[in-house]
Amino acid sequence: MGRPIRATADVLINSGAAAAGWTASGTGASQTTGSITLIDGTIGTRVKATSGSGQNLFLAYAAGNVWATKKGLFIRIYLDAPDTNDPATIYSGFIRIRDAATTHQWGAIIAMRPGWNEFRLGRNKFAVAAGTPVWDTTTWNDIIIKVDAVTSTTLSIYVDNLAYAGYSRPQIAIMFDDGYDSVIDTAMPYMAARGIPGSVGVISGSVGAANFMTLAELTTLHAAGWSMVGHTRDHTAVSGSPSRWLQDASQATCQEQIEASRDYLKDNGFTRDSEHLIFCSPYGEWSANYKAAADAAGILMFRVLTAASSTAPESCSFVDAYPNARYVPCVSTIRTWSVAQIKAYIDAAIGSGTSIIVLFHKVVAGAAANIEYETASFKEVIDHCYRKKAQADFVNLTEWRKRVLAPTE
């Protein structure tokens, strides 16, 4: 799967045609070109830069071409580096853009895992690195990619085309994990009246249980344009600590849970736009075993959680930069979050031309548990979304996946 570049005019640097324009630097760094399997499965020749052992790697492109950054930037980078299969092992670096005099610079911190990484960088991802750049008026001339050194390790990167951000209109998905009955009783009617669809992460083993929606109710939501996606069969602690139950589990256990929820959705007709092949992990966990299980189960998109600052929405992992394309973060709301905090995340995504998934669980009056959100506050959030419909598309999760990840399936 991969996001195609939609038009030649969108491409700022064609890495296949302009490999000579790139320059690698850093102690012991080298540069060549090589064949690489691109994210869409085709073979292409791309610039390859390799670091010295234990050294920082820099790759710059400055050939006099200029671009405006109002739309944001989109780039793919393939990282050839040791893969520990530990989700905590992330290779860090930055992407910097500069004017011709290198006086004014913006920088965006990036995190990569081995393999293809995609970055769709809106202005919220960049901070001033030098001078006094003005986003809308400074003429940008070059780009620098840096990968931070790792002790006694040689790192290589391939760079695919640099382009304007592919889908510039923000896509925002409101979803609900677990499948509590407050979704159809409270959330859905209020959202439907404002033309905003939602999505449900279904715990297949809980359908019809006390306080959960029935199959008939899930079907009603589905008929109204909602997506039904996988969220395990049991959602209970079968291994390790309760907050890391599948992250600590074997591949077989992970795969059983993923496939059980996938098959439940398929057997009950929830297959629109391959929604049964979207999986949302409880607690936002992922690990080597979890990843292998998702691959074996044919999962197309794996939604995780990320640590998000409630006071700095610009630091949240909006879906403009994410490792290995399929592993997608979201913002998970909790009872103590104010309406203003959630609105700030939505506004930051819209203001930077990026996309976001906003997650709820229960919507109730008198919220007490962390996974509960006050009904009146939830309605304020949805009213805010309604007022923003001219600036963003509010879509279900399958439509969100098609538009943001743009798979070539």
Side-chain angles (χ1 to χ4, degrees):
M1 62 181 294
R3 183 190 296 111
I5 303 298
R6 285 171 169 72
T8 302
D10 287 337
V11 177
L12 301 168
I13 300 173
N14 184 322
S15 296
W22 292 91
T23 303
S25 61
T27 303
S30 62
Q31 178 183 338
T32 184
T33 56
S35 295
I36 184 72
T37 301
L38 303 176
I39 202 166
D40 62 3
T42 62
I43 305 296
T45 299
R46 294 292 184 266
V47 63
K48 178 183 180 182
T50 302
S51 72
S53 180
Q55 302 295 321
N56 292 329
L57 176 62
F58 298 86
L59 185 63
Y61 189 95
N65 62 317
V66 297
W67 63 85
T69 49
K70 292 181 180 180
K71 292 184 179 179
L73 300 174
F74 171 75
I75 191 169
R76 296 188 182 112
I77 300 172
Y78 184 93
L79 175 64
D80 186 357
D83 189 352
T84 64
N85 278 321
D86 180 350
T89 302
I90 298 292
Y91 294 85
S92 60
F94 65 66
I95 293 177
R96 185 170 292 184
I97 52 178
R98 311 186 301 188
D99 65 351
T102 73
T103 303
H104 304 295
Q105 303 181 27
W106 287 101
I109 295 172
I110 58 174
M112 293 181 285
R113 288 191 54 79
W116 280 110
N117 299 265
E118 298 190 345
F119 301 95
R120 182 143 99 55
L121 300 169
R123 70 177 67 191
N124 74 302
K125 283 296 180 180
F126 286 91
V128 174
T132 56
V134 179
W135 188 270
D136 291 331
T137 59
T138 299
T139 299
W140 304 109
N141 182 75
D142 64 0
I143 182 170
I144 299 173
I145 301 167
K146 178 194 176 188
V147 183
D148 293 337
V150 177
T151 303
S152 302
T153 301
T154 298
L155 307 172
S156 295
I157 59 172
Y158 295 81
V159 179
D160 204 352
N161 294 347
L162 175 73
Y164 287 121
Y167 198 96
S168 58
R169 183 172 170 83
Q171 305 297 299
I172 299 175
I174 307 294
M175 75 169 301
F176 304 84
D177 271 3
D178 302 343
Y180 291 105
D181 54 12
S182 67
V183 175
I184 195 164
D185 292 340
T186 304
M188 185 270 196
Y190 200 79
M191 293 170 66
R194 287 148 186 82
I196 297 174
S199 303
V200 178
V202 178
I203 305 172
S204 58
S206 295
V207 175
N211 301 317
F212 287 86
M213 287 184 281
T214 64
L215 175 58
E217 289 171 327
L218 295 176
T219 301
T220 296
L221 289 178
H222 193 251
W226 284 47
S227 295
M228 301 294 126
V229 300
H231 194 48
T232 75
R233 180 187 62 203
D234 299 321
H235 205 297
T236 55
V238 297
S239 168
S241 63
S243 64
R244 291 171 54 90
W245 70 286
L246 282 182
Q247 189 162 302
D248 294 334
S250 67
Q251 179 182 336
T253 298
C254 294
Q255 194 164 332
E256 178 188 11
Q257 290 289 328
I258 294 172
E259 291 183 347
S261 60
R262 178 202 66 189
D263 293 347
Y264 178 87
L265 295 173
K266 183 177 180 180
D267 292 345
N268 288 285
F270 302 130
T271 59
R272 185 172 55 217
D273 294 326
S274 300
E275 62 196 312
H276 62 300
L277 298 179
I278 297 176
F279 180 75
C280 302
S281 64
Y283 311 107
E285 299 172 341
W286 66 298
S287 65
N289 286 337
Y290 225 156
K291 179 180 175 182
D295 288 344
I299 296 303
L300 298 176
M301 174 176 139
F302 191 126
R303 194 219 67 204
V304 298
L305 305 183
T306 57
S309 168
S310 60
T311 58
E314 67 277 6
S315 70
C316 175
S317 289
F318 298 104
V319 182
D320 50 12
Y322 44 92
N324 294 338
R326 290 189 303 167
Y327 296 85
V328 177
C330 74
V331 173
S332 180
T333 65
I334 57 175
R335 175 183 56 85
T336 56
W337 280 29
S338 68
V339 171
Q341 287 171 310
I342 300 173
K343 287 164 62 176
Y345 281 104
I346 293 168
D347 290 349
I350 292 173
S352 60
T354 56
S355 295
I356 192 171
I357 301 169
V358 182
L359 171 64
F360 295 89
H361 290 79
K362 290 183 178 181
V363 179
V364 298
N370 257 353
I371 63 169
E372 297 175 342
Y373 202 71
E374 189 68 37
T375 299
S377 297
F378 174 80
K379 290 180 177 180
E380 286 187 56
V381 171
I382 298 304
D383 286 342
H384 183 71
C385 293
Y386 178 73
R387 290 191 292 270
K388 296 292 182 177
K389 289 182 72 174
Q391 300 170 349
D393 294 336
F394 291 85
V395 295
N396 64 34
L397 203 57
T398 48
E399 190 65 24
W400 189 97
R401 182 183 76 87
K402 288 194 299 179
R403 296 185 183 192
V404 177
L405 301 185
T408 54
E409 298 158 0

